[in-house]
Amino acid sequence: MGVVDKHSLLESFSVGRGVVKPSRKLYIIEPGNVRRVFEALIEKFGYGGFYLSTIVGTDLRDEGRIRLDYYIVLLPEEETVVLRTFIPRENPVIDSLVDILPGALSGECETHDLLGVVFRGNPFLKRGFFAPRDVVEKGEYPLRKDSGV
Amino acid sequence: MGVTKIVEIPVVTTEVPVGPQHPALHEPLLLKVYAEGEEVVKVEVNTGYNHRGVEKLCERNTFYRDIFVVGRVCGICNAVHANCYVRALEQLLDLHPNKRAQYLRVLAMELERVHSHMLINAVMAEIVGFETLFMQIMLDRERVMKAKEILTGGRVLADYMMVGGVRRDIDEEKRQRIRELLLKLKPRVEYYRKVFEEDETIVKRLVGVGRISYSEATSHSLVGPTARGSGVKIDSRVSDKYDAYGEIPFNLVTRSEGDSWARMMVRWDEALESIEMNIYILEHLPSDGNPVPDERRLPRRFPPGEAYTRVEAQRGELTYYVMSDGKGQNPYRVKIRTPSFNNIINSAFMYIGYSLADVPVMLTSLDPCISCMERVTVIDLEKNTRYRLDLKQLAGGKL
């Protein structure tokens, strides 16, 4: 099973394509499908077939939504691809991956603490994971553009 | 006299906090270790003692000033942080540094790898109980620090990378001096590698401790020597071939054992590879122009776009995501994902089943770097008074 199979699997879920410099393939995916994509990747290629490198959350204030990018590295080719999804800024909820992919823990905890995204089903989410106490007490998420931090 | 009464002592789970200040730790992190007797049954990793809000700070400063901000994320790996960020900016601007600059960048990063790997191996020697070995390795590490000072001007903080090249060139005399230092260092590193390979005490403390399998390493997103010690062939230098890595010969080091000893041996082998690479660079340094670009001619405006660059830092894959909205002088979003962030937070599973005394050894074998992980800090001690600076003050630069 080569890298082509992995791309065709990702493509079957995608609703849009793009590129992040330098030539990292980007697949836009519905937020409800993100967990399903990872389940399919694990089922077809196993845990040794890829790893989740990082989760990048960006507050797109003008568009009223939060963008979540899952950067995964396909093994053994070591090619980085991006799964991108958008969730509403007012109610930023998405399914957690932590029970099927433990490597998502650090990224989900950080994104929750700094951006306020709720990963449904992650029991380890807490405020103050990174943010200082005064920011937590005010109920602010530092990486939101209107946080005032 | 027969037994008259049998008292059963129930096995109670004891909570042992290791950190945030602890003799076995060099940096603030709390490992909440739950033990039954001597056996570790659960570990929780607590963070946030040192968060500096660097990502927010980057959004508040210009693209060019951020080069110096990211260089201060971590002392040990400042050149790789700056390199990764600078290459993201070059992707946005579609700029390409010349060959000499690319070779010099690799030289600075590989010198850093040698001294970082020597440092963590020295720390491991200290944790195991060999303080003299710690001192000896640190003494020889000074040679690399000297070489880095000759190249970049700073023993630790280099501030060597800039958009389109590097900050200073080297002449023939400097080239020779760095080469001599490396040639003297090489037999010392070979000797320390042998000590780690053969010494009975080190082997007994490290072999078989903190085993991680291949699929555990990938499912927990572990990177760098930690993953390579478990046989995972990942190395951004090989796959991304950034800067001059596509032209300089080197071997990807992996081991199959997956224990703490394998991780330390991967580091010694990589240090030797890096010394070889540096000698190669110094002997094959291209002369295709000035590697120091004219700062006044660099573009002031950044077009809208996004770039995601990876670099193989000493501790593993380090990634930068930089987004420009094309409107102002500042980046819209900078996301830094350091190797320790994955390696430390996601590795709580590794400690289970081992004895309490092995916890510091296992943690050290991951090469923890809290300043990398948290990128956050805010306590100032002055005249015995304690101030706490909030993120707003930091981000606004009103210190």
Side-chain angles (χ1 to χ4, degrees):
Chain A
M1 282 181 289
V3 71
V4 180
D5 293 337
K6 290 170 188 157
H7 281 295
S8 57
L9 187 145
L10 295 173
E11 197 148 331
S12 66
F13 284 97
S14 75
V15 291
R17 299 283 301 272
V19 171
V20 175
K21 287 179 178 178
S23 57
R24 320 258 186 219
K25 284 182 183 158
L26 179 148
Y27 299 95
I28 298 170
I29 287 172
E30 294 289 335
N33 273 343
V34 169
R35 194 182 156 90
R36 257 176 249 152
V37 175
F38 281 93
E39 279 171 348
L41 275 172
I42 293 166
E43 190 188 323
K44 210 160 178 198
F45 305 106
Y47 283 116
F50 73 101
Y51 74 90
L52 175 65
S53 179
T54 180
I55 302 173
V56 181
T58 310
D59 179 22
L60 303 174
R61 186 184 175 190
D62 297 342
E63 299 174 24
R65 53 188 186 168
I66 286 175
R67 190 182 66 198
L68 282 181
D69 294 346
Y70 294 77
Y71 284 82
I72 58 175
V73 178
L74 305 177
L75 296 173
E77 305 83 13
E78 214 187 328
E79 182 186 340
T80 307
V81 291
V82 195
L83 304 181
R84 173 164 291 182
T85 190
F86 297 93
I87 50 177
R89 201 165 178 270
E90 297 309 315
N91 182 27
V93 180
I94 192 162
D95 287 330
S96 168
L97 303 173
V98 80
D99 53 331
I100 53 168
L101 193 65
L105 173 72
S106 50
E108 289 190 357
C109 286
E110 188 193 36
T111 314
H112 173 73
D113 192 23
L114 301 182
L115 205 60
V117 177
V118 177
F119 292 88
R120 198 188 297 127
N122 184 340
F124 306 104
L125 296 183
K126 61 171 182 187
R127 287 309 311 277
F129 182 73
F130 274 155
R133 198 188 300 156
D134 53 337
V135 175
V136 175
E137 279 167 4
K138 282 188 222 157
E140 285 172 345
Y141 295 103
L143 286 183
R144 293 230 183 167
K145 293 287 173 188
D146 56 359
S147 66
V149 173
Chain B
M1 202 171 81
V3 178
T4 53
K5 194 178 175 188
I6 296 172
V7 181
E8 268 191 25
I9 302 169
V11 179
V12 187
T13 308
T14 324
E15 185 189 319
V16 185
V18 181
Q21 275 83 39
H22 191 274
L25 290 177
H26 292 246
E27 292 174 86
L29 171 81
L30 172 59
L31 288 182
K32 256 190 208 169
V33 182
Y34 296 89
E36 283 179 2
E38 282 286 311
E39 189 187 333
V40 177
V41 290
K42 187 182 162 195
V43 170
E44 282 174 15
V45 183
N46 253 18
T47 57
Y49 299 99
N50 210 15
H51 205 267
R52 286 165 293 170
V54 169
E55 287 174 16
K56 192 77 185 174
L57 200 59
C58 287
E59 289 176 14
R60 292 291 178 93
N61 284 292
T62 63
F63 283 100
Y64 288 107
R65 285 176 73 176
D66 283 343
I67 299 172
F68 302 97
V69 175
V70 300
R72 277 143 187 83
V73 167
C74 173
I76 300 284
C77 40
N78 62 83
V80 283
H81 271 275
N83 177 270
C84 198
Y85 176 71
V86 158
R87 279 192 301 112
L89 297 192
E90 284 168 359
Q91 291 290 339
L92 290 174
L93 293 168
D94 207 17
L95 261 178
H96 301 283
N98 63 21
K99 284 265 176 250
R100 189 177 177 88
Q102 290 182 349
Y103 270 68
L104 287 173
R105 282 180 179 183
V106 174
L107 180 63
M109 289 191 286
E110 292 304 318
L111 285 176
E112 213 171 66
R113 188 181 318 279
V114 179
H115 85 62
S116 171
H117 282 353
M118 289 183 82
L119 174 74
I120 196 62
N121 275 298
V123 170
M124 181 57 103
E126 190 201 4
I127 295 280
V128 170
F130 281 140
E131 289 204 3
T132 316
L133 183 58
F134 167 79
M135 296 290 183
Q136 293 284 348
I137 300 176
M138 291 304 268
L139 180 65
D140 281 314
R141 179 174 170 262
E142 281 303 312
R143 294 184 210 268
V144 201
M145 311 300 279
K146 188 70 199 168
K148 202 177 166 199
E149 188 183 353
I150 294 168
L151 176 68
T152 68
R155 283 174 79 252
V156 181
L157 275 182
D159 280 336
Y160 191 55
M161 310 291 168
M162 70 184 288
V163 175
V166 292
R167 286 201 178 271
R168 46 195 261 175
D169 198 359
I170 55 169
D171 55 21
E172 182 56 29
E173 193 186 332
K174 284 179 181 169
R175 199 175 69 85
Q176 284 301 344
R177 281 183 69 196
I178 297 173
R179 191 168 169 273
E180 278 164 24
L181 282 165
L182 289 170
L183 287 174
K184 277 186 196 155
L185 178 73
K186 198 182 165 198
R188 298 301 301 162
V189 174
E190 280 167 352
Y191 169 71
Y192 294 129
R193 185 191 179 282
K194 200 172 151 215
V195 171
F196 268 71
E197 196 172 24
E198 293 177 0
D199 184 86
E200 204 180 337
T201 315
I202 291 182
V203 168
K204 274 190 177 165
R205 283 300 307 270
L206 301 186
V207 170
V209 173
R211 270 189 207 280
I212 301 174
S213 71
Y214 183 104
S215 60
E216 278 172 340
T218 50
S219 67
H220 289 80
S221 302
L222 305 183
V223 290
T226 309
R228 289 196 285 275
S230 299
V232 187
K233 286 184 180 161
I234 47 170
D235 192 327
S236 321
R237 295 177 293 172
V238 177
S239 59
D240 274 23
K241 293 190 175 56
Y242 53 91
D243 284 338
Y245 281 112
E247 298 172 17
I248 299 163
F250 70 101
N251 297 315
L252 168 59
V253 181
T254 56
R255 291 193 83 96
S256 55
E257 292 92 341
D259 53 8
S260 303
W261 181 77
R263 295 192 273 278
M264 301 324 278
M265 290 312 284
V266 164
R267 292 196 178 97
W268 280 126
D269 286 333
E270 281 185 2
L272 283 168
E273 285 288 330
S274 295
I275 293 174
E276 287 294 330
M277 285 164 83
N278 284 337
I279 293 172
Y280 178 90
I281 291 169
L282 292 167
E283 286 170 356
H284 298 82
L285 198 60
S287 310
D288 62 338
N290 187 0
V292 186
D294 187 352
E295 274 182 273
R296 287 166 299 180
R297 291 192 182 169
L298 288 174
R300 290 293 143 200
R301 295 203 73 81
F302 279 72
E306 46 188 346
Y308 177 81
T309 44
R310 305 160 74 214
V311 69
E312 192 66 23
Q314 296 86 316
R315 298 173 174 88
E317 179 204 35
L318 161 70
T319 71
Y320 269 73
Y321 170 81
V322 181
M323 180 185 169
S324 160
D325 59 0
K327 289 176 188 163
Q329 298 284 319
N330 299 359
Y332 186 82
R333 175 87 168 97
V334 177
K335 164 76 188 163
I336 310 169
R337 204 276 289 143
T338 56
S340 290
F341 181 66
N342 278 8
N343 284 350
I344 306 304
I345 298 173
N346 293 344
S347 61
F349 73 96
M350 181 185 70
Y351 304 93
I352 294 164
Y354 294 96
S355 92
L356 264 179
D358 290 332
V359 170
V361 172
M362 287 188 276
L363 180 66
T364 307
S365 77
L366 299 175
D367 198 353
C369 175
I370 309 305
S371 66
C372 259
M373 192 174 84
E374 306 220 11
R375 312 184 297 280
V376 197
T377 299
V378 215
I379 292 173
D380 192 15
L381 290 168
E382 199 175 274
K383 296 173 192 167
N384 287 331
T385 340
R386 203 166 168 128
Y387 298 107
R388 197 167 175 122
L389 303 171
D390 62 20
L391 270 174
K392 192 170 183 177
Q393 287 169 300
L394 258 180
K398 299 169 201 157
L399 292 181

